[in-house]
């Protein structure tokens, strides 16, 4: 009887938790889908060579910006090569859909990162503590200065991509620490190399810890 009541209590709490997460992220998704070009978007295309391929432009832009913008090679490559505005050739909701998918993936990476920190690093296995931590962190993250930028077609996708790589690095560090498997170290080296090419990385890892 007691076990049945506990299961019912956790089911109710988890339902409230999921509903709360949906309430937090739906307004952002609704706005992102309907986003429009901003100043950074027009600036990113000032030296775009339409006579060359998108891959050539991505490499060329990244090489130039690597010397002038803090070494963010991967960030600029993602902004050019994976941008639907250039891939599809028109300005439509495709861009907003891409940013929404990246935004949802970012939310999942936060939830996963908190799970590994609590269970494997801190040894906390209480579901209520986990749910409260996730809600508090998401509320904090969704109110930081980064979020006006996720509506920008070029820069927005890069921010989400960079932050996700940083969070994945945290998870890989924990997994390597707990298992001592070389495979985690190898993947961490690769992901860490790419995530280090963004100015967002240091601040986000510090905030995560």
């Amino acid at each position: 009887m007691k076990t049945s009541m506990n299961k019912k209590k956790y089911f109710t709490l988890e339902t409230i938790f999921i509903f709360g997460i949906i309430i937090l992220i739906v307004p952002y998704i609704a706005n992102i889908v309907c986003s429009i070009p901003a100043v950074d978007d027009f600036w990113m295309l000032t030296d775009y060579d339409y006579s060359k391929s998108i891959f050539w432009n991505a490499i060329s832009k990244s090489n130039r910006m690597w010397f002038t913008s803090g070494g963010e090679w991967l960030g600029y490559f993602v902004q050019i090569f994976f941008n639907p505005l250039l891939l599809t050739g028109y300005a439509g909701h495709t861009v907003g859909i891409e940013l929404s998918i990246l935004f949802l993936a970012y939310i999942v990476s936060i939830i996963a990162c908190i799970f590994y920190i609590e269970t494997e690093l801190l040894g906390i296995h209480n579901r209520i503590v986990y749910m409260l931590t996730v809600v508090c962190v998401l509320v904090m993250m969704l109110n930081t200065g980064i979020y006006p930028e996720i509506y920008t077609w070029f820069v927005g996708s890069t921010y989400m991509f960079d932050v996700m790589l940083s969070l994945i690095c945290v998870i890989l560090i924990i997994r390597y620490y707990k298992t001592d498997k070389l495979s985690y170290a190898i993947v961490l080296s690769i992901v860490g190399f790419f995530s280090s090419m963004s100015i967002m990385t240091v601040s986000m890892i510090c905030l995560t810890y």
Side-chain angles (χ1 to χ4, degrees):
M1 184 69 178
K2 186 176 180 180
T3 304
S4 178
M5 290 180 63
N6 286 336
K7 287 183 178 179
K8 185 177 180 180
K9 180 184 72 173
Y10 281 121
F11 176 78
T12 304
L13 289 173
E14 287 170 356
T15 303
I16 295 173
F17 169 71
I18 294 171
F19 185 69
I21 298 298
I22 293 173
I23 291 176
L24 282 173
I25 66 177
V26 164
Y28 287 90
I29 294 175
N31 280 280
I32 292 170
V33 171
C34 298
S35 63
I36 59 174
V39 175
D40 283 347
D41 298 316
F42 293 105
W43 174 79
M44 284 296 295
L45 287 176
T46 53
D47 54 356
Y48 190 88
D49 189 348
Y50 288 94
S51 65
K52 303 290 181 64
S53 68
I54 186 173
F55 181 76
W56 185 93
N57 275 282
I59 295 292
S60 177
K61 182 79 172 185
S62 301
N63 290 341
R64 288 196 303 273
M65 298 308 294
W66 188 81
F67 291 102
T68 61
S69 186
E72 296 179 74
W73 194 94
L74 179 65
Y76 286 105
F77 181 85
V78 172
Q79 288 181 38
I80 299 294
F81 190 69
F82 293 102
N83 195 281
L85 180 60
L86 295 173
L87 291 173
T88 60
Y90 65 90
H93 285 296
T94 309
V95 180
I97 292 172
E98 181 222 20
L99 292 177
S100 297
I101 293 172
L102 284 170
F103 178 71
L104 288 174
Y106 167 65
I107 296 297
V108 171
S109 67
I110 289 179
I111 295 173
C113 190
I114 294 173
F115 173 80
Y116 280 102
I117 290 175
E118 287 198 354
T119 58
E120 297 201 9
L121 194 63
L122 302 178
I124 301 173
H125 300 278
N126 189 303
R127 281 189 284 180
I128 296 177
V129 173
Y130 170 68
M131 289 185 286
L132 287 173
T133 304
V134 169
V135 171
C136 290
V137 171
L138 286 180
V139 169
M140 177 182 65
M141 300 292 276
L142 293 174
N143 284 278
T144 58
I146 183 180
Y147 284 93
E149 296 285 0
I150 66 174
Y151 303 105
T152 309
W153 289 2
F154 281 89
V155 180
S157 59
T158 307
Y159 280 175
M160 294 296 97
F161 188 75
D162 292 339
V163 173
M164 278 189 292
L165 286 180
S166 301
L167 293 171
I168 291 172
C169 281
V170 174
I171 295 174
L172 290 170
I173 290 170
I174 294 172
R175 293 299 297 155
Y176 177 65
Y177 172 76
K178 296 294 291 187
T179 64
D180 202 29
K181 290 184 178 179
L182 183 60
S183 57
Y184 286 114
I186 294 173
V187 177
L188 175 61
S189 299
I190 297 171
V191 177
F193 172 75
F194 286 113
S195 67
S196 66
M197 295 183 182
S198 169
I199 58 173
M200 299 299 299
T201 304
V202 175
S203 58
M204 292 308 300
I205 287 182
C206 290
L207 185 56
T208 302
Y209 275 111

